[in-house]
Amino acid sequence: MKKLLSTFGIFAATFAASSFATSPVVERWQKIEQQADGQTVYFHAWGGSQEINRYIQWAGKELKSRYNVTLNHVKVTDISETTTRLIAEKAAGKNSAGSVDMVWINGENFKSMKDNQLLFGPFVNDLPSWQYVDKSLPVDVDFSEPTDGLEAPWGVGQLVFIHDEETLNNPPRSFSEMLSYAKAFPNRLTYPRPPEFHGTSFIKSLLVEVTNNAPELQQPVTKEVFAHVTQPLWRYLDEFHSVAWRGGKQFPAGTAESVQLLDDGQIDLAVTFNPNAVFSAQSSGNLAESTKAYAMDAGALSNIHFLAIPWNANASAGAQVAINFLLSPEAQSRKGDINIWGDPSVLNSQYLTGTAKNTQQFKSIAEPHPSWQAALEKEWLKRYGN
């Protein structure tokens, strides 16, 4: 009770002048915190980054000490694995006591979960920390799909490249220049293997450039449109793979391997979806101090990544408490610290402290409609997967 009184003493004082601090709202959140006490939240999230994993461990310790909520990070390679699990639980009629309490998602996976009615909510507007979120960001749409309060924004992602200035001082500023570089210096460039998230993002960004950001990319894909619009993409990749790392017959498993190959001097560019990842990697000793992140001159493929709760979560109250904490100024400031994770925050900068106030962001390029993702991955695997 002391914990609850302390939390809400601060909360009520901070928001006494706002409509959010009305008694029913405070009482409802108090009830959620009471229900969360002692719960274990199974959080399905990508596990391919040491920096991110360490951050989630820190958040888990804070949630345990403050709210007696246990955060269990279930590391997944691709959140589509979790989507498949939830669809199976739905088909089996498992509408309570589900195996997943919280997911880190966006794009195609959010649309799939939403279309299959796999999500709890709407809950986002009821979070006390929602007050801090920068509403000028596209926090209410996910790859053009309305979020409808079913997922809470967690951070900003942008597809950028990392190079070592000592070995590559003037990196390619477009995919056209990248192909010219690959031909001039064979076996020095590559990208993660789709359907891994970073690999798919690479080919989507490439598709945007080679089609001059065709308006069809913002619409649901059809077979005929796909065949026509993607022709220059496959022509490019056929040329690129012929001079890529290992002859385009093998690809890094993800961004972690991409960064390792860069650090080992095997390739000249690594791919990441965090414009500040280079700083945390340098801090961890995984990249040289001479490495630097940059975006293509046209901009960086950009999106918001989100947190959501399945409809049948066993610990929905604990998940709401966890998400609310992860959206707090304290947690967002730590997440945005360039020496810890460096993930750009979704909060108004006035609420942030330290380096999170000024994390690096580049000019944005919008994601294609989510339906393009599965179509691109399927065709890529058909052409290059064996």
Side-chain angles (χ1 to χ4, degrees):
M1 182 57 72
K2 182 178 180 182
K3 171 188 65 184
L4 286 173
L5 289 174
S6 173
T7 299
F8 280 91
I10 297 170
F11 174 59
T14 304
F15 297 107
S18 75
S19 60
F20 191 91
T22 57
S23 181
V25 174
V26 173
E27 288 177 1
R28 184 164 66 246
W29 189 254
Q30 279 182 318
K31 187 175 181 180
I32 289 172
E33 283 198 342
Q34 290 167 345
Q35 292 171 342
D37 192 345
Q39 289 188 344
T40 296
V41 174
Y42 287 90
F43 178 27
H44 282 229
W46 182 62
S49 163
Q50 294 179 0
E51 291 82 13
I52 295 173
N53 294 344
R54 282 196 292 267
Y55 175 78
I56 293 174
Q57 289 173 0
W58 168 82
K61 291 176 183 177
E62 296 300 315
L63 284 164
K64 183 66 175 178
S65 65
R66 300 180 191 207
Y67 306 102
N68 194 30
V69 170
T70 300
L71 189 68
N72 190 325
H73 182 190
V74 180
K75 300 180 180 70
V76 296
T77 302
D78 192 310
I79 207 67
S80 62
E81 305 163 19
T82 303
T83 306
T84 301
R85 173 187 289 209
L86 292 172
I87 289 173
E89 291 186 1
K90 186 85 167 185
K94 191 177 180 62
N95 293 315
S96 61
S99 62
V100 183
D101 298 300
M102 189 168 131
V103 290
W104 180 14
I105 58 171
N106 69 354
E108 181 197 20
N109 290 300
F110 168 68
K111 181 169 173 55
S112 178
M113 290 188 190
K114 183 183 178 186
D115 288 349
N116 286 282
Q117 298 182 314
L118 302 179
L119 296 172
F120 168 87
F123 71 94
V124 175
N125 286 9
D126 293 332
L127 299 172
S129 292
W130 179 244
Q131 299 245 353
Y132 306 117
V133 172
D134 182 357
K135 309 304 191 300
S136 70
L137 294 171
V139 294
D140 56 355
V141 291
D142 189 351
F143 285 48
S144 75
E145 180 71 25
T147 59
D148 294 333
L150 298 173
E151 57 176 1
W154 193 25
V156 180
Q158 295 192 302
L159 184 72
V160 297
F161 299 88
I162 303 173
H163 68 108
D164 190 328
E165 291 184 306
E166 290 190 355
T167 56
L168 178 55
N169 185 47
N170 186 28
R173 296 287 175 172
S174 67
F175 285 99
S176 176
E177 288 186 10
M178 182 180 288
L179 181 58
S180 297
Y181 183 90
K183 289 178 177 178
F185 302 95
N187 205 41
R188 300 298 301 173
L189 297 182
T190 186
Y191 60 95
R193 185 183 194 276
E196 194 275 337
F197 173 76
H198 298 85
T200 300
S201 298
F202 178 94
I203 61 172
K204 284 192 289 187
S205 185
L206 170 58
L207 179 64
V208 169
E209 178 176 313
V210 297
T211 62
N212 294 313
N213 204 0
E216 292 92 337
L217 298 180
Q218 294 305 315
Q219 302 298 323
V221 69
T222 65
K223 187 175 181 180
E224 294 75 17
V225 167
F226 182 84
H228 170 69
V229 169
T230 60
Q231 284 181 10
L233 172 70
W234 311 124
R235 284 199 299 268
Y236 180 103
L237 289 178
D238 286 345
E239 285 191 68
F240 183 77
H241 291 168
S242 69
V243 290
W245 179 71
R246 301 206 169 166
K249 304 298 183 185
Q250 186 177 342
F251 300 85
T255 185
E257 185 178 351
S258 177
V259 168
Q260 185 62 56
L261 289 169
L262 175 68
D263 194 52
D264 290 345
Q266 293 193 48
I267 61 175
D268 293 333
L269 289 177
V271 180
T272 179
F273 219 85
N274 175 3
N276 301 291
V278 64
F279 301 115
S280 55
Q282 288 169 344
S283 179
S284 303
N286 294 327
L287 279 177
E289 292 298 319
S290 52
T291 51
K292 185 178 180 181
Y294 78 100
M296 295 299 189
D297 285 345
L301 193 73
S302 303
N303 62 53
I304 307 289
H305 50 93
F306 295 83
L307 300 170
I309 304 169
W311 93 103
N312 66 345
N314 189 53
S316 61
Q320 289 175 81
V321 168
I323 291 173
N324 187 63
F325 174 71
L326 291 171
L327 271 179
S328 69
E330 178 186 357
Q332 286 275 307
S333 292
R334 185 177 180 88
K335 182 167 70 73
D337 187 323
I338 60 174
N339 295 311
I340 294 176
W341 179 352
D343 190 44
S345 178
V346 293
L347 303 191
N348 280 301
S349 62
Q350 69 190 81
Y351 299 117
L352 300 170
T353 59
T355 58
K357 289 182 76 71
N358 301 301
T359 49
Q360 182 172 221
Q361 291 190 49
F362 296 94
K363 182 169 65 174
S364 294
I365 293 174
E367 287 272 4
H369 186 275
S371 59
W372 283 84
Q373 180 161 323
L376 286 167
E377 290 171 345
K378 181 179 179 180
E379 185 65 19
W380 190 96
L381 288 169
K382 177 183 172 183
R383 289 171 178 265
Y384 311 117
N386 295 321

